[in-house]
Amino acid sequence: MTGKRISREKETIAKMIALYAKQCPEASQEAGHYQVLNAYADKRLDKCVFGEEKPACKQCPVHCYQPARREEMKQIMRWAGPRMLWRHPILTVRHLMDDRRPVPELPEKYRPKK
């Protein structure tokens, strides 16, 4: 079961991907591409090492996305982020507030061995 923070992150990412896929001229026309990307993002959020204390992905010391998908998500967020304010203002403001949260310490089992 996911908590409120992770559920909100999933909703925000889903809305960003949907907005990008529907309105961005550079969006992929491949059928199902963005559904697969959204499912991947949900899976990565479910497995986040920080859980409900997760920082914004751009602040995170652990990059859990594959490099190609990470670049694609960055592109989507860059394009959809400013447009989200008009379409989903509450989600956008909450996301911006989460972006300001301090990065928690890495859980013990994920710290590098000395």
Side-chain angles (χ1 to χ4, degrees):
M1 183 171 126
T2 59
K4 289 170 113 177
R5 170 91 165 88
I6 298 295
S7 295
R8 192 174 67 244
E9 280 285 315
K10 286 181 179 183
E11 182 181 1
T12 302
I13 287 176
K15 302 273 186 192
M16 284 182 155
I17 290 173
L19 180 63
Y20 184 86
K22 185 176 180 183
Q23 295 186 357
C24 182
E26 293 95 35
S28 171
Q29 300 304 314
E30 185 181 323
H33 175 77
Y34 292 109
Q35 289 84 5
V36 170
L37 184 62
N38 192 36
Y40 178 78
D42 285 352
K43 184 174 84 172
R44 300 316 310 161
L45 281 168
D46 286 336
K47 295 181 183 248
C48 181
V49 299
F50 293 104
E52 285 296 303
E53 299 300 314
K54 86 177 271 335
C57 291
K58 69 180 181 183
Q59 311 283 353
C60 191
V62 178
H63 298 297
C64 55
Y65 281 34
Q66 296 167 346
R69 291 202 173 160
R70 182 168 179 232
E71 287 305 313
E72 185 173 14
M73 284 303 295
K74 280 169 127 178
Q75 179 181 357
I76 289 170
M77 288 182 180
R78 259 189 228 118
W79 188 90
R83 292 161 178 86
M84 286 284 289
L85 187 57
W86 296 107
R87 289 161 181 86
H88 307 286
I90 294 171
L91 276 178
T92 304
V93 170
R94 301 283 312 259
H95 185 71
L96 291 171
M97 287 170 42
D98 289 340
D99 202 20
R100 296 251 184 231
R101 294 171 67 165
V103 177
E105 195 169 309
L106 198 59
E108 185 68 40
K109 72 180 194 176
Y110 297 103
R111 291 186 195 150
K113 306 284 188 268
K114 292 182 182 176

